[in-house]
Amino acid sequence: MSESPITAGTGGAEAPPSRFVLPVVLVGTFMAILDVAIVNVAIPSIRSGLHASFGPVELVVSGYTISYACLLVTGGRLGDIIGRKRMFIIGLLVFSAASALCGAAPNIDVLIAARVLQGVGGAALYPQVLAIIQTTYSGAARGRALGVFGAVIGIAAIAGQLIGGVLLAVNLFGWTWRPVFLVNVPIGLLAVVASMVWLPADRPGRSTRLDLGGVGLVTPFLLLLCVPLLLGRDQGWPTWLVVCLIAALPVGYLFVRYEKRLGAAGGQPLVRLELFRNRSFANGVPIVLLFITSYSGFLFTLAVYLQTGLGFSPISSALVYTPSALGFFVTSLAAPRFVPLLGRHVLTLGYVVAALGLLGTAATAYAAGTSLTVWTLAPTLLVAGLGQGLGMSPMVGTIISGVPVKDAGSGAGIVTTTMQTANVLGVALFGMVLFDLVGQAAPGVAYATAFSEVMPISAALLVVAAVLVFRLPHAPGQPSNALIERLPGWAGGFAWSMFLSTGGRVGDTLFTDLLSRIRGTRLDRASQAPEPLGDFLSFHYHEQESGDGSWLGYLQREALAYGDRAIPREDERTPVIQAQVAEIARRQEQGRIDPEFDPALFRLLCFSLSSYPTLLPQVTRMATGLSPHDPEFVARWEEFLQRLGSRLEMDPAAERAAERAGQSR
């Protein structure tokens, strides 16, 4: 596939997006994730400044997480309905206003309410980030963008400790804890302006409606699940919290039944459960749950061990995290480069390396006891961070790449909700285990012993995730032998030629892998082709021109060798052709192409228009005086296809007017 970006909903291939698109949306990502962790550092200062007890201050932390986690799916769906750019800007404005209210809160009740509102803003903006990346970038460009996205998530989770500690230490204007929230305001407002200028416009789904019944079920389900997990340990698990947790099961079941029934009736469910028919999505979501649970549990237990067990300051604790953050950042950015070599098993490598790093961290902490210094854990935390970075970046891309563009917001909402639910699970479950072990261990070394016993649990979750990676399918265009991605075009052509000239006796396995790559690319291309017919033809020509030379050369030689007889692996290749025919038939049903055209013959026409210059370069040169690969010819041919497609495409309004005129006569 070409790496040229595609803007969904605009009807065609667009100019490359501004280089500021990714930085702008990642500012929103950073702010939303940062505020999950940054308040933990400020809890003592908030308690003393507002004269509050520990329970209400805990709601300052959990109020944000609860509203954030419960509304992520709804926020993603609203992005599909009213436009992702618009929803992202609304989220930034709500988040910034709520941050200002947090910073100015005169009492703990106002602060709790403002934090809940801040979570609402985070839930509005965060799902749009993945959706905008999915619809703005394609190919390797999307992989790089998701790599940076993964790096930002990891860095923001750790940076909350450092930034919060610095702001409290500096004590700007004597405001103690308030700058922890107020720092979001100028950043958020600048991000709003930048979003208006640089984010690509998208066309919302005008016929799409919000599933209010689904919202009315999923919100209480997530509340019943998250509230007990967040508050249960601190409140000693009173009966009402246990009842809430048990009640989450039937409410969740009712939500799934309702969404299935609504979808079967032709409605527009909040969560498109058919997304889970996609193997990447269905198998990837449990991997997300395991990885984020492990990661959030690791961050939480390390923070408790350092600050409560060893009495480290927030800044000293942040310095301990630094090697992990550095490793995470480096491998998150590098992971897309490993995908062509290792395929989905980049995730396997990442989870195994991270598990080894966590086990090493547990052993080091146990040996150090209370004599741990800032840099004692640096080597093992660096290893853990390297593995976690490898396991995060491709994980998100693997899941989202399987989601149709029209469902990008809904899919992103499910993934981000899974992340935040896993974050709650990690903190709650690891917290319960940690404090239970602290109570059983010997005084003095209790936290070191408990921490060293909890880390193997985190490592075990990663090992299970590594095993589940084997259930993931190959990504579109990714062969079973990932080294195929490294072959230059001439090498692929040579392999096909050897297979053809020997009647399939030489290079059968290599041919199969190469064919797998071509098949995946074609299927991916059929699903991403823009709607207007001119853009549709131009898109297929551009994609063919960008990387299909050796394959077209093979087709020429195959045609000479086999004529109209059966060809190698015909059964594997036919579904691709049929998918392309079905794509044309779908456009006929939408009224974009004359229904009197035979879709199979129209598909042949599209193939000839996109392939003719490359298949017969000498005729192209004699007719135009240009090589088919000359940029001038490419531009002229794309413009010709655009004009031809616009002439062939039906205008439904004009057709209806013509029919009415004919009937009146």
Side-chain angles (χ1 to χ4, degrees):
M1 287 293 295
S2 164
E3 294 180 21
S4 58
I6 305 296
T7 300
T10 59
E14 300 288 335
S18 168
R19 64 181 182 274
F20 297 110
V21 169
L22 188 60
V24 168
V25 295
L26 290 183
V27 167
T29 303
F30 190 84
M31 291 169 63
I33 298 297
L34 182 79
D35 269 58
V36 175
I38 195 172
V39 181
N40 289 322
V41 180
I43 284 178
S45 183
I46 292 173
R47 288 184 65 191
S48 60
L50 295 180
H51 308 291
S53 61
F54 189 77
V57 174
E58 276 294 294
L59 287 175
V60 173
V61 178
S62 58
Y64 174 84
T65 307
I66 290 169
S67 62
Y68 182 44
C70 291
L71 296 175
L72 278 167
V73 174
T74 305
R77 195 62 175 156
L78 284 172
D80 292 335
I81 295 171
I82 71 173
R84 289 141 195 161
K85 176 179 179 178
R86 185 179 302 171
M87 197 66 188
F88 183 76
I89 292 173
I90 291 172
L92 281 173
L93 289 172
V94 172
F95 191 92
S96 301
S99 297
L101 184 59
C102 286
N107 55 56
I108 194 68
D109 295 330
V110 173
L111 182 57
I112 293 170
R115 281 286 283 174
V116 171
L117 183 61
Q118 199 179 35
V120 173
L125 70 90
Y126 188 73
Q128 316 317 322
V129 176
L130 277 175
I132 289 171
I133 290 175
Q134 170 75 348
T135 55
T136 304
Y137 300 95
S138 65
R142 181 186 295 161
R144 289 192 294 270
L146 288 170
V148 179
F149 170 78
V152 168
I153 290 177
I155 297 302
I158 295 174
Q161 305 264 351
L162 181 59
I163 295 175
V166 169
L167 290 173
L168 288 169
V170 173
N171 192 17
L172 291 171
F173 310 113
W175 290 349
T176 61
W177 54 270
R178 298 182 186 275
V180 167
F181 299 106
L182 295 175
V183 70
N184 291 321
V185 178
I187 297 173
L189 294 179
L190 287 174
V192 168
V193 175
S195 300
M196 293 178 176
V197 174
W198 286 309
L199 288 191
D202 59 334
R203 186 169 59 197
R206 296 177 181 175
S207 62
T208 306
R209 296 183 300 274
L210 182 62
D211 171 19
L212 294 177
V215 172
L217 286 170
V218 75
T219 303
F221 163 67
L222 291 170
L223 281 170
L224 290 169
L225 178 66
C226 293
V227 171
L229 292 175
L230 284 166
L231 303 182
R233 177 181 57 82
D234 292 318
Q235 297 194 12
W237 287 101
T239 303
W240 71 273
L241 283 179
V242 175
V243 171
C244 286
L245 192 58
I246 295 173
L249 295 176
V251 175
Y253 174 75
L254 288 174
F255 170 70
V256 172
R257 285 290 303 273
Y258 174 83
E259 295 294 278
K260 283 184 176 179
R261 185 175 302 172
L262 182 62
Q268 298 173 353
L270 178 68
V271 174
R272 301 182 66 87
L273 296 177
E274 61 265 29
L275 291 176
F276 287 92
R277 296 174 187 167
N278 179 284
R279 285 181 60 202
S280 292
F281 197 82
N283 292 304
V285 168
I287 293 174
V288 170
L289 189 68
L290 288 166
F291 174 77
I292 299 297
T293 299
S294 169
Y295 187 60
S296 62
F298 154 70
L299 293 177
F300 174 77
T301 51
L302 182 57
V304 171
Y305 169 47
L306 295 174
Q307 295 187 38
T308 304
L310 300 179
F312 279 27
S313 68
I315 293 181
S316 296
S317 298
L319 290 175
V320 175
Y321 280 104
T322 300
S324 173
L326 179 62
F328 194 109
F329 182 76
V330 169
T331 51
S332 288
L333 296 181
R337 299 180 182 274
F338 292 117
V339 170
L341 183 63
L342 299 174
R344 68 193 189 283
H345 290 298
V346 170
L347 298 176
T348 307
L349 176 63
Y351 299 145
V352 171
V353 170
L356 292 174
L358 293 178
L359 291 174
T361 300
T364 304
Y366 182 81
T370 57
S371 62
L372 189 82
T373 66
V374 168
W375 301 112
T376 303
L377 299 177
T380 56
L381 287 180
L382 176 62
V383 173
L386 290 170
Q388 289 162 341
L390 281 177
M392 178 66 184
S393 168
M395 176 185 72
V396 176
T398 299
I399 299 168
I400 295 299
S401 65
V403 178
V405 169
K406 64 183 178 65
D407 293 323
S410 181
I414 295 172
V415 172
T416 50
T417 299
T418 301
M419 287 181 169
Q420 293 311 312
T421 303
N423 182 64
V424 172
L425 282 171
V427 172
L429 298 179
F430 278 73
M432 285 190 294
V433 174
L434 178 72
F435 288 109
D436 183 61
L437 292 173
V438 166
Q440 299 176 20
V445 294
Y447 280 93
T449 302
F451 176 75
S452 65
E453 292 175 353
V454 167
M455 282 300 95
I457 300 174
S458 184
L461 294 178
L462 293 176
V463 171
V464 175
V467 172
L468 290 180
V469 171
F470 287 88
R471 296 173 60 95
L472 291 176
H474 299 294
Q478 182 187 100
S480 59
N481 179 359
L483 289 173
I484 296 300
E485 292 286 345
R486 313 302 291 180
L487 286 178
W490 65 264
F494 176 76
W496 286 319
S497 297
M498 289 297 296
F499 177 85
L500 189 61
S501 63
T502 62
R505 288 185 292 273
V506 176
D508 179 76
T509 301
L510 184 58
F511 178 86
T512 300
D513 285 334
L514 288 165
L515 182 61
S516 174
R517 178 186 181 188
I518 290 292
R519 186 172 63 245
T521 301
R522 292 299 189 281
L523 290 172
D524 191 40
R525 183 180 299 172
S527 68
Q528 293 193 18
E531 292 294 333
L533 188 55
D535 293 335
F536 175 81
L537 295 174
S538 177
F539 171 81
H540 280 288
Y541 167 67
H542 178 84
E543 296 296 299
Q544 200 118 279
E545 172 67 20
S546 67
D548 285 350
S550 60
W551 174 246
L552 291 176
Y554 170 76
L555 292 180
Q556 288 176 302
R557 295 189 294 275
E558 184 182 64
L560 291 173
Y562 289 92
D564 61 356
R565 293 181 288 115
I567 58 174
R569 305 285 189 274
E570 184 167 321
D571 291 343
E572 299 175 31
R573 296 157 68 174
T574 299
V576 179
I577 307 295
Q578 295 304 318
Q580 295 167 341
V581 173
E583 178 65 17
I584 290 168
R586 183 185 68 82
R587 292 164 189 273
Q588 288 179 317
E589 293 173 0
Q590 293 178 339
R592 291 186 172 275
I593 300 175
D594 191 332
E596 294 186 2
F597 284 137
D598 185 311
L601 299 182
F602 198 89
R603 190 269 170 194
L604 291 178
L605 172 67
C606 294
F607 177 78
S608 63
L609 288 171
S610 61
S611 307
Y612 183 90
T614 303
L615 287 172
L616 294 172
Q618 70 275 32
V619 179
T620 300
R621 189 184 65 256
M622 288 187 287
T624 65
L626 297 170
S627 163
H629 304 297
D630 189 300
E632 182 181 348
F633 173 80
V634 171
R636 285 174 57 185
W637 191 251
E638 286 191 0
E639 182 182 0
F640 172 75
L641 294 178
Q642 289 273 357
R643 292 180 181 275
L644 178 64
S646 63
R647 296 291 179 89
L648 289 174
E649 184 168 25
M650 295 177 61
D651 182 346
E655 290 291 323
R656 288 193 296 271
E659 289 177 5
R660 287 195 297 270
Q663 292 170 357
S664 65
R665 288 197 295 269

